[in-house]
């Protein structure tokens, strides 16, 4: 690759790493934040969901902004806002200010991320170069969450959780200094924003997540729980109707006409929903039941992270040999076995046999699946839909994590309500949530099998679109 392309790739990957890290870097710090602000485990999920919901809900609008105003310009606005918001999160001294600052980070990430992936597509046109670039991008997306857990634990235990936010500031400023010179300009497309689509999707998903978390605290028959879930469902249905009628929708429903792309989006949604929730609750388990500090809890994720990263280097060769469908099924099955094994944790669990070993299996499976899922989501996309398709890849990742965490938090809250958190009760509740993660993996496997294998001829290895 040419030097300028290498630097452009580094800028894009650094942006993606910074944003993916941000979704997980606070997980190992949450028990400490909860003790300081006197927040229950279920309430703490809003530290994550305030960020993820704003991020995932506005991603497609951010992709549309990149098409209209220029992807390079929108990328720089997103990075600048993300840098400022990270500083605010680090300075937060109240629950409300923390939640609002995290939401602002999510809005900024929604502007930067789809433009970054679109810039990658226009920078690397030759199929072989693009395949390598997507592999690196996917590796960062897949491993970033685990690295964030480790980094968050180290900083929380040795210095402060706030440093995890402050380190984004110099990185963001560096990216802003390099982007004008090395990122390519893209043509602007005339059009308008689908504000109604954006509003109904964001409020709808927020209402659903609020309903699940409210159920954890107040029960499923609580009026606020029922109202939130009903409003969320109505708004999501309204969103689909709006997108069908809109002249320039933020989510062109024609993207789902392809079985491959649909499998990429839905399979990723369910897989990340299970994976992200497991990392959240396992970190809580290690610190509450095993008495680990934040740093020790973060080290527990190292084997999974190392294996996951190593597997991603082998995936391109495995794809060319076995094809996308078979490789995805194999990867999800390995991860499913690991998650099922991990779901048996209890206060008597042996750390190495009951946690480290299944985490290695999870690393193998997760290391396999993210590259093919990304390639599927971008396969055979028309130029006019490039921004929306790249946005949907990230929407599936972020909203999957948020919905999965909300659903499993409702299970956790039902089994370990505030005030009765003995180690045995806490461990049992976490075991049930990880069983829920196993079901999310099973749903991902079902999607892949039904859309890629059932009633289809043998699939050739997927070629990354030129």
């Amino acid at each position: 690759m040419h030097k300028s392309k290498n630097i452009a790739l580094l800028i894009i990957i650094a942006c993606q790493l910074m944003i993916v890290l941000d979704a997980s870097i606070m997980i190992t710090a949450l028990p400490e934040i909860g003790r300081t602000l006197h927040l229950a485990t279920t309430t703490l999920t809003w530290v994550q969901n305030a960020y993820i919901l704003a991020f995932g809900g506005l991603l497609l609008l951010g992709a549309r902004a990149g098409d209209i105003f220029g992807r390079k310009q929108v990328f720089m606005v997103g990075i600048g806002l993300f840098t400022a918001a990270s500083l605010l999160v680090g300075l937060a001294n109240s629950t409300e200010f923390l939640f609002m600052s995290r939401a602002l980070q999510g809005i900024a990430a929604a502007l930067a991320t789809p433009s970054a992936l679109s810039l990658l597509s226009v920078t690397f046109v030759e199929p072989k170069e693009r395949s390598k670039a997507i592999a690196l991008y996917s590796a960062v997306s897949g491993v970033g969450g685990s690295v964030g857990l480790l980094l968050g634990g180290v900083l929380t235990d040795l210095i402060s959780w706030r440093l995890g936010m402050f380190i984004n500031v110099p990185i963001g400023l560096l990216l802003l200094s390099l982007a004008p010179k090395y990122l390519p300009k893209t043509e602007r497309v005339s059009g308008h924003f689908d504000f109604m689509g954006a509003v109904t999707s964001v409020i709808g998903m927020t209402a659903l997540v609020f309903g699940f978390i409210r159920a954890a605290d107040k029960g499923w028959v609580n009026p606020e729980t029922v109202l939130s879930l009903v409003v969320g469902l109505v708004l999501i249905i309204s969103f689909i109707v709006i997108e069908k009628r809109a002249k320039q929708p933020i989510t062109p429903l024609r993207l789902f006409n392809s079985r491959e792309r649909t499998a990429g989006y839905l399979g990723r949604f369910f897989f990340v929903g299970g994976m992200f929730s497991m990392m959240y609750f396992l970190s809580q388990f290690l610190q509450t039941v095993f008495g680990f500090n934040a740093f020790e809890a973060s080290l527990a994720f190292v084997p999974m992270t190392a294996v996951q990263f190593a597997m991603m280097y082998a995936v391109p060769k495995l794809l060319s040999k076995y094809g996308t469908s078979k490789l995805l099924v194999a990867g999800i099955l390995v991860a499913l076995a690991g998650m099922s094994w991990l779901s048996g944790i209890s206060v008597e669990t042996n750390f190495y046999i009951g946690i480290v070993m299944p985490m290695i299996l999870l690393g193998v499976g997760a290391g396999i699946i993210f590259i093919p899922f990304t390639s599927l989501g971008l396969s055979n996309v028309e130029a006019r839909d490039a921004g929306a398709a790249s946005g949907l890849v990230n929407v599936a990742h972020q909203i999957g994590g948020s919905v999965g965490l909300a659903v499993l938090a409702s299970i956790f809250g039902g089994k370990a309500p505030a005030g009765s958190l003995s180690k045995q009760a806490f461990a049992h509740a976490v075991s049930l949530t990880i069983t829920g993660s196993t079901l999310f993996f099973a749903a991902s496997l079902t999607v892949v099998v039904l859309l890629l294998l059932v009633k289809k001829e043998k699939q050739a290895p997927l070629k990354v679109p030129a």
Side-chain angles (χ1 to χ4, degrees), residues 130 169 263 459:
R130 181 180 291 189
V169 176
Q459 186 182 28

Side-chain angles (χ1 to χ4, degrees), residues 62-85:
R64 186 65 180 152
D67 293 336
I68 294 176
F69 296 112
R71 291 160 188 165
K72 180 177 179 178
Q73 289 77 4
V74 172
F75 174 86
M76 292 180 64
V77 169
I79 291 297
L81 185 59
F82 190 88
T83 302

